[in-house]
Amino acid sequence: MRTISLNDIDDITIGHAQDTEAGTGCTVILCEQGATAGIDVRGGAPGTRESDLLNPVNLVDTIHAVVLAGGSAFGLDAASGVMQYLEERGVGFDVQVARVPIVCGAVLFDLAVGNPRIRPDRQMGYQACCNAARRDVVAEGNVGAGTGATVGKLLGMGRAMKGGFGCHALQVGALQVGALVAVNCLGDVIDPASGTRLAGLLQDDLTTLADSEAQMTQSYAEQKNLFAGNTTIGTIVTNARLTKAQASKIASMAHNGYARTMRPAHTMFDGDTIYTLATGQVEADVSVLGLLAARVMERAVVSAINKAGPLFGLKCAADLQSKENG
């Protein structure tokens, strides 16, 4: 088993576009040759596009892109730019009079930072596709869908920290599997390898971390409106050969990576969603692929937090680490 770049996975390209001043962005995963796809939604407040067609009983077998975006439901507009980009290249489902690119998407809530009037749109989605065509090393941190991402928002943005975008990929023999994720959770982020709490709800002193789960437990009877900016969205990409049902099972198992790293995960105020894209070159056991998907997602979440930088006055994990080391 060895670590690889996400761009090493055949037929997959990834691009970001963002407006750092506005605090939002989008990430596009292109599979112009078509990929079998699945989805698993665990959070109670999701925002998705074209998710119903991934049901195994429905017609379309392959999709051509996944868009992960900020901007809440407004950010779904970025998919229009992705459709334009793909249509210009003759990519899409053949309906005789045209080719219709099949573009799925999910959004997170980042309107509480930056400028809430600026969101990912058609132009930003198109630009992300142009950036994907360059096949650069996939950037992490305050980029793409992770630009305005935050974590630890239980007690409001004044005690929150910066989230971000992360990725990780592995190869075992001929099998390749990778994860990319924009981490924007209500709760805290833990590195399961060490048990270290990396980021999340800050104490009153704003220099040490509290415990979101303990705080929630203590106030169990309070009915709060916590819709202040949550949802973690990600995608598993693999060169395995899968059916739509199997792809959804891989997405389901990949949520174990969320559960290992985010505490709590899958709340009613998070729209936690994972897609799977499978390009179909390699036979693989679904259970093995699922455990690898959970592992790479786990590492992608940790990477997102470790690569994030401070923004809009929000501290990042590196700020707390430097304080401890100092």
Side-chain angles (χ1 to χ4, degrees):
M1 186 183 303
R2 62 186 179 89
T3 301
I4 61 172
S5 167
L6 276 173
N7 277 334
D8 290 334
I9 299 177
D10 289 339
D11 300 331
I12 295 290
T13 53
I14 298 158
H16 300 299
Q18 58 274 325
D19 185 328
T20 303
E21 291 185 2
T24 196
C26 66
T27 300
V28 176
I29 308 100
L30 297 175
C31 40
E32 296 186 29
Q33 302 304 312
T36 303
I39 187 174
D40 191 280
V41 179
R42 296 289 179 91
T48 62
R49 178 186 190 276
E50 294 276 43
S51 56
D52 284 349
L53 64 80
L54 300 183
N55 188 316
V57 304
N58 291 332
L59 174 65
V60 176
D61 288 328
T62 60
I63 72 170
H64 306 102
V66 168
V67 182
L68 307 177
S72 189
F74 296 107
L76 292 171
D77 186 39
S80 298
V82 180
M83 290 191 70
Q84 177 187 343
Y85 178 90
L86 292 171
E87 184 183 28
E88 290 173 356
R89 285 151 184 79
V91 175
F93 182 70
D94 189 356
V95 294
Q96 297 184 354
V97 296
R99 285 188 175 273
V100 181
I102 307 300
V103 179
C104 297
V107 292
L108 55 80
F109 191 106
D110 59 5
L111 302 181
V113 300
N115 185 344
R117 305 298 298 178
I118 297 177
R119 309 104 178 197
D121 56 12
R122 184 188 190 101
Q123 182 178 356
M124 187 179 285
Y126 190 93
Q127 184 60 53
C129 293
C130 294
N131 294 341
R134 298 173 186 170
R135 293 191 66 88
D136 294 334
V137 173
V138 181
E140 299 177 83
N142 296 353
V143 295
T147 301
T150 50
V151 300
K153 290 159 281 191
L154 182 66
L155 298 180
M157 294 301 294
R159 301 263 296 268
M161 291 183 65
K162 188 70 183 68
F165 176 88
C167 58
H168 191 76
L170 295 171
Q171 181 159 344
V172 183
L175 176 65
Q176 298 170 317
V177 57
L180 49 144
V181 64
V183 182
N184 188 61
C185 57
L186 171 71
D188 308 326
V189 179
I190 312 294
D191 183 348
S194 63
T196 303
R197 194 179 302 272
L198 300 174
L201 176 65
L202 289 168
Q203 300 275 13
D204 289 330
D205 61 9
L206 303 183
T207 62
T208 54
L209 286 166
D211 184 326
S212 290
E213 289 189 326
Q215 182 71 34
M216 292 174 72
T217 302
Q218 291 169 9
S219 56
Y220 71 90
E222 296 180 19
Q223 299 294 320
K224 295 182 178 180
N225 178 8
L226 300 175
F227 196 63
N230 309 304
T231 296
T232 295
I233 49 179
T235 304
I236 296 295
V237 292
T238 179
N239 64 349
R241 185 175 296 115
L242 299 173
T243 65
K244 288 167 69 174
Q246 290 171 331
S248 291
K249 179 61 176 177
I250 297 304
S252 174
M253 294 180 74
H255 273 283
N256 290 334
Y258 281 11
R260 293 171 191 164
T261 54
M262 291 178 279
R263 298 182 187 173
H266 309 137
T267 74
M268 291 302 294
F269 307 101
D270 292 285
D272 296 340
T273 299
I274 297 178
Y275 290 95
T276 298
L277 290 177
T279 58
Q281 286 92 9
V282 177
E283 294 288 349
D285 179 84
V286 172
S287 294
V288 174
L289 184 56
L291 72 87
L292 291 173
R295 184 175 300 180
V296 293
M297 184 58 78
E298 171 188 311
R299 300 320 303 169
V301 170
V302 170
S303 187
I305 296 303
N306 285 335
K307 297 290 178 62
L311 197 65
F312 301 111
L314 294 161
K315 293 186 177 181
C316 64
D319 292 331
L320 300 190
Q321 292 165 8
S322 62
K323 178 181 180 296
E324 291 176 0
N325 296 333

